[in-house]
Amino acid sequence: MTQDGGGASFIETQFPVAQLSAEAYKERKAGASQTLTGLGKWWGRKPLVLVRAVLLGLLMPASADSARDREVFLALMTMDDEGLWRRKDKSIPAKVLLEHLAHMPPSVRHRYIQEIPGGEAEVKSLRRDERQDVQRLVFEALPYSDKLRYCCRPEQIEGPSAAAWARINAHLGTSASELTGLVQELGMRRFGHVPRVGDAFCGGGSIPFEAARLGCEAYGSDLNPVAALLTWAALNIVGGGEEAAREVREAQEAVFAAVDAQVTAWGIEHNALGWRADAYLYCTEARCPECGWRVPLAPGWVIADKANVIAELQPDEAGRRYDIAIHEGVSTARMRAARDGGTVGGARLSCPHCGQSTPMEVVRRDMRLWENDDLVPRPEDVFQERLYCIRWVETYYERRSGGRVTGELSCEDARRLPDFQALVEAGRLVERTRRHYRAPDAEDLAREARVLALLQERFAGWQAEGSLPSRRIEPGDKTDEPIRTRGWTYWHHLFTPRQLLVHGLLMERVHSGVDLIRVGNVCDFNSRLTRYPSTRETINNTFSNQALNTVYNYPCRALPQCREVFLYSSDETKISARGTVVASDVRVCRVTSDVWVTDPPYADAVNYHELSEFFLAWYDGALTRLFPDWYDDSKRALAIRGNDPLAFRQSMVAAYRNLTEHMPDDGMQVVMFTHQDAAVWADLTLILWAAGLRVTAAWTVATETDGALKQGNYVQGTVLMVCRKRTATEPAFMHEVMP
């Protein structure tokens, strides 16, 4: 096939933004089941469906028949009618069928609907082929976004059908039967070789991963080594196929089993009844400046909405403090009182003893900055830490006979039965669990003391070998928060002793990059900055928002709760194309790519460089041991930031000029940019011009979902700016550039 890279590409002439917006929204709404999200935390991964569309849109040539071009492109994306029907993996409910059939011609309605007494209607009892017919009839009548409710994502099927490939090849003059083959053919035609796709702001790895999955030679780099590590894992673990996934899972199961055996041997998560803890709830405690009473701090005292569990403050007059009782199954009125009876809100302490409300700035006026050896507050500290509730899990066996429950046995008693295994296999003994919420007793507090003692024995050694963080928190826009509000000056201060002990045991056993990522994931879901919404009784992660906000009451996962966030599982995707990942500054990149697709910093948006230090504190030492050519520093000083507009412009021009110099004259770039400030857009336009690029097309695709925790300068759309090298030497004028 001859090289012919001069013509316009599909994305430069048209782009199905409405359908892609719906597809991107669907992928975003998949949450943790997105292909790469389960690897570990990163902020703002672009949807894979959008990356796929961009790459295919760049490689596919535009013809004189724009309508046919669009049909072929939609077929490639399985976003045409046939592709959507192939992706349909859920049945349309009867209620929806009735709603749509009611508006169809009488002949159709009478074929599938029958009237029943009372004026209602229902779908007739149909043969299998008739059920399929009515499903398709209604499916094809639905708007595009409604169809997607019943479809899997494009990446979850093999691609276009054989019939679709015949139409695609006839239009494009190709002979492909899968996307990777088509990409290689189109790449040879446009560039003379398999396309080389690079992303020098690779973040969570969406662009290099999808490029490699499509058969391109992929390159990813990022100044931030946390991002580079996630991109490496995307290519080598998610893209490693079934065998790689199995090996990772087996290795991690072995690590977790060893840690579980140690925790069980220490006896720090089991009580005398044999119950095992799965969550510990802590609150801070501060002295009221008005009356001197010690007040446990929480915005409310509901623990579990479904089980009607609350904490209740009980005055201890002699100690000028409060005991905390835990009550299960309380009335609606007591639930309401507990929800409204918080002792902190609006950055003020509300004392239940004297009724005074005091700004937290006054409360923390004499707050001490913690030192490296501090693992818990000192007795004289303004804020104390208090365990006030443990959620236990009791495991037992139901006795069953004739399908009915006839009794219960403890695990110990059940396993003493001589025919235990036979009864289990016959369904006569069925393992069950139930939760109990209890205030800590003397034995629980003794276990807390043992946890602290075990940690103190290992603390210095673990810090020296890198199993626990030893870095100070460097002040910054986001990292000032824990220093200012709690006096925490080292990264390990963001974790309770119980969390540090478990995380240290895991870190001792890190042998691969994916192990490191998964320990980081555990840290994200198990810190003093996590939250426990009583409505779901689950534990949110530290970065459920894009900050390091401290909270007054917080959960701690017991080891069984850490299992789900440590063990990695994902749909296996075998990638055969080559992929290279490095930790590097875009301004010194020396790799040439035919296509650069980038999602650059957004001026005043997320401070990735600061937030990622939460993870780098744990990766210290292990990262460079596993990746000797990398570094384990966030490179704050080199990060492209918007707090200095001139420096931001200069850094961005240097970045994009370097990428422009490292692509061929017939190469292309797509800049993905998400911002709502017109001034930033004006800057970006001039930045790209100054970097030697000209914009040949721009498309806006909705890529973001609404979120209750999102505050500030967020938008719902991403603009794709398609660029080519600017080879003309004549001057440009602002009225030409700005549109």
Side-chain angles (χ1 to χ4, degrees):
M1 188 173 290
T2 59
Q3 182 177 346
D4 179 18
S9 64
F10 175 81
I11 198 174
E12 292 176 297
T13 59
Q14 57 176 318
F15 209 47
V17 294
Q19 292 99 319
L20 274 171
S21 294
E23 297 280 1
Y25 185 83
K26 176 181 175 63
E27 184 176 327
R28 281 279 197 246
K29 294 295 283 185
S33 65
Q34 294 176 74
T35 301
L36 300 184
T37 301
L39 266 179
K41 178 64 184 178
W42 191 254
W43 301 265
R45 284 184 177 94
K46 286 293 178 277
L48 293 172
V49 69
L50 178 63
V51 179
R52 176 175 294 195
V54 165
L55 293 174
L56 291 176
L58 287 169
L59 292 171
M60 179 177 151
S63 74
D65 188 345
S66 60
R68 189 66 176 148
D69 286 349
R70 185 180 182 85
E71 290 173 11
V72 166
F73 183 80
L74 291 174
L76 283 172
M77 294 293 299
T78 61
M79 288 164 51
D80 60 338
D81 289 342
E82 180 192 349
L84 286 168
W85 179 248
R86 293 185 65 236
R87 287 164 52 192
K88 183 176 178 292
D89 61 349
K90 300 178 187 68
S91 292
I92 302 172
K95 181 180 178 181
V96 178
L97 292 176
L98 282 170
E99 289 174 0
H100 287 272
L101 288 171
H103 298 290
M104 292 187 179
S107 59
V108 176
R109 289 202 306 270
H110 295 155
R111 191 185 317 156
Y112 298 113
I113 297 176
Q114 65 183 11
E115 300 293 332
I116 59 176
E120 297 179 358
E122 65 180 11
V123 178
K124 291 180 179 179
S125 178
L126 303 171
R127 300 190 310 269
R128 174 178 292 183
D129 60 323
E130 291 175 325
R131 291 198 299 270
Q132 185 81 336
D133 289 343
V134 75
Q135 284 278 325
R136 184 152 196 170
L137 183 68
V138 172
F139 182 76
E140 290 180 348
L142 294 173
Y144 192 93
S145 58
D146 289 349
K147 288 178 180 177
L148 294 185
R149 297 176 187 174
Y150 310 106
C151 295
C152 63
R153 303 193 298 272
E155 62 179 311
Q156 294 173 310
I157 66 170
E158 291 183 358
S161 66
W165 274 117
R167 296 192 300 272
I168 291 166
N169 288 325
H171 181 68
L172 296 178
T174 52
S175 58
S177 58
E178 56 184 15
L179 289 175
T180 54
L182 179 75
V183 164
Q184 290 173 10
E185 283 194 57
L186 295 179
M188 289 294 295
R189 180 181 298 173
R190 186 171 286 276
F191 303 115
H193 51 254
V194 172
R196 303 184 187 113
V197 176
D199 178 7
F201 299 99
C202 63
S206 294
I207 294 165
F209 174 79
E210 193 62 26
R213 185 157 64 170
L214 287 175
C216 305
E217 291 185 14
Y219 169 82
S221 67
D222 203 290
L223 180 65
N224 194 303
V226 175
L229 180 61
L230 287 166
T231 301
W232 170 86
L235 290 169
N236 294 281
I237 305 303
V238 182
E242 185 177 349
E243 183 177 351
R246 179 183 54 78
E247 290 175 356
V248 165
R249 183 78 180 189
E250 288 175 356
Q252 291 190 325
E253 290 275 13
V255 167
F256 196 87
V259 173
D260 185 49
Q262 180 62 81
V263 168
T264 302
W266 281 335
I268 55 175
E269 289 189 353
H270 292 80
N271 65 12
L273 297 172
W275 301 351
R276 185 162 191 178
D278 80 336
Y280 298 84
L281 303 183
Y282 295 87
C283 67
T284 52
E285 194 174 60
R287 194 176 299 280
C288 172
E290 299 297 330
C291 66
W293 273 56
R294 281 221 163 263
V295 180
L297 301 179
W301 295 103
V302 174
I303 292 174
D305 284 75
K306 292 180 181 177
N308 283 32
V309 182
I310 63 170
E312 194 170 70
L313 302 186
Q314 298 179 339
D316 174 4
E317 296 287 346
R320 296 174 65 78
R321 60 186 297 277
Y322 290 89
D323 293 325
I324 303 178
I326 305 299
H327 302 289
E328 297 179 303
V330 303
S331 67
T332 302
R334 291 181 71 184
M335 288 286 288
R336 189 182 305 113
R339 185 170 285 108
D340 298 338
T343 52
V344 65
R348 299 180 75 89
L349 182 152
S350 299
C351 179
H353 179 259
C354 68
Q356 295 298 308
S357 175
T358 308
M360 293 306 297
E361 284 137 352
V362 174
V363 175
R364 69 168 68 96
R365 185 167 46 201
D366 298 322
M367 186 178 66
R368 175 184 68 89
L369 295 179
W370 285 30
E371 298 175 9
N372 180 57
D373 293 340
D374 288 315
L375 301 172
V376 292
R378 296 181 189 176
E380 69 274 12
D381 280 346
V382 167
F383 293 112
Q384 297 296 305
E385 183 174 72
R386 180 171 179 177
L387 174 65
Y388 69 93
C389 181
I390 303 173
R391 188 173 74 193
W392 297 98
V393 174
E394 175 192 9
T395 304
Y396 64 98
Y397 282 87
E398 282 180 351
R399 278 188 178 276
R400 288 181 168 269
S401 178
R404 294 186 301 109
V405 178
T406 60
E408 293 182 3
L409 286 174
S410 69
C411 289
E412 187 177 349
D413 290 342
R415 287 172 182 144
R416 282 203 198 101
L417 297 173
D419 53 350
F420 168 72
Q421 195 59 45
L423 289 170
V424 170
E425 291 173 1
R428 302 277 301 279
L429 281 178
V430 180
E431 186 177 282
R432 293 282 186 256
T433 62
R434 57 182 161 226
R435 287 175 171 177
H436 303 277
Y437 295 84
R438 298 288 186 270
D441 59 20
E443 291 182 354
D444 297 322
L445 296 178
R447 281 186 281 271
E448 285 288 287
R450 175 157 170 72
V451 166
L452 180 58
L454 288 167
L455 177 62
Q456 288 170 329
E457 289 171 10
R458 292 158 178 76
F459 182 69
W462 274 356
Q463 276 200 326
E465 69 185 34
S467 295
L468 286 182
S470 57
R471 293 184 180 185
R472 292 187 69 94
I473 301 173
E474 185 180 341
D477 291 340
K478 297 297 182 182
T479 49
D480 276 347
E481 185 72 6
I483 302 171
R484 181 182 65 82
T485 60
R486 289 292 188 279
W488 296 335
T489 58
Y490 286 79
W491 284 106
H492 67 270
H493 293 156
L494 275 57
F495 302 87
T496 68
R498 189 175 287 277
Q499 290 164 342
L500 290 172
L501 186 64
V502 167
H503 299 180
L505 289 172
L506 290 170
M507 278 296 298
E508 276 190 314
R509 294 161 173 82
V510 164
H511 298 299
S512 69
V514 71
D515 289 346
L516 204 57
I517 291 173
R518 300 313 288 173
V519 173
N521 207 45
V522 173
C523 294
D524 181 23
F525 280 85
N526 200 32
S527 79
R528 281 180 167 128
L529 274 57
T530 56
R531 299 163 186 81
Y532 177 83
S534 60
T535 51
R536 297 197 306 276
E537 301 173 43
T538 56
I539 298 173
N540 288 343
N541 59 325
T542 299
F543 292 111
S544 53
N545 62 7
Q546 298 169 346
L548 290 165
N549 294 328
T550 56
V551 289
Y552 292 103
N553 63 321
Y554 36 88
C556 166
R557 290 174 181 254
L559 188 61
Q561 280 272 317
C562 293
R563 178 186 178 87
E564 64 188 80
V565 291
F566 176 69
L567 298 179
Y568 173 68
S569 61
S570 174
D571 295 335
E572 297 86 15
T573 302
K574 182 64 177 177
I575 291 176
S576 56
R578 291 191 301 170
T580 303
V581 182
V582 297
S584 175
D585 189 339
V586 58
R587 289 160 288 195
V588 298
C589 175
R590 295 294 177 265
V591 172
T592 295
S593 291
D594 303 307
V595 172
W596 288 103
V597 182
T598 51
D599 180 13
Y602 298 154
D604 60 346
V606 182
N607 289 285
Y608 302 113
H609 50 286
E610 292 185 19
L611 299 180
S612 67
E613 290 170 2
F614 174 94
F615 298 104
L616 285 173
W618 286 92
Y619 298 168
D620 192 10
L623 186 62
T624 50
R625 171 170 55 82
L626 295 167
F627 299 89
D629 296 332
W630 293 15
Y631 45 80
D632 53 14
D633 189 300
S634 69
K635 301 293 184 182
R636 268 201 206 194
L638 295 176
I640 298 176
R641 289 175 281 181
N643 54 358
D644 181 343
L646 178 59
F648 174 76
R649 296 184 194 111
Q650 291 173 336
S651 297
M652 288 284 280
V653 168
Y656 278 96
R657 181 180 291 133
N658 189 44
L659 295 184
T660 303
E661 290 172 354
H662 286 86
M663 77 177 192
D665 288 344
D666 59 351
M668 291 176 286
Q669 292 198 36
V670 173
V671 181
M672 299 182 175
F673 212 71
T674 307
H675 214 284
Q676 64 183 11
D677 188 340
V680 172
W681 279 102
D683 276 352
L684 181 62
T685 305
L686 296 176
I687 284 165
L688 295 177
W689 189 269
L693 294 167
R694 58 186 174 90
V695 177
T696 59
W699 309 101
T700 301
V701 178
T703 55
E704 310 303 319
T705 59
D706 297 329
L709 288 173
K710 288 188 172 183
Q711 302 289 330
N713 201 23
Y714 290 91
V715 291
Q716 273 65 56
T718 292
V719 175
L720 312 175
M721 304 185 76
V722 186
C723 305
R724 288 184 180 261
K725 273 191 176 181
R726 179 166 53 82
T727 56
T729 57
E730 64 271 13
F733 299 94
M734 287 302 296
H735 72 274
E736 297 175 316
V737 174
M738 292 304 290

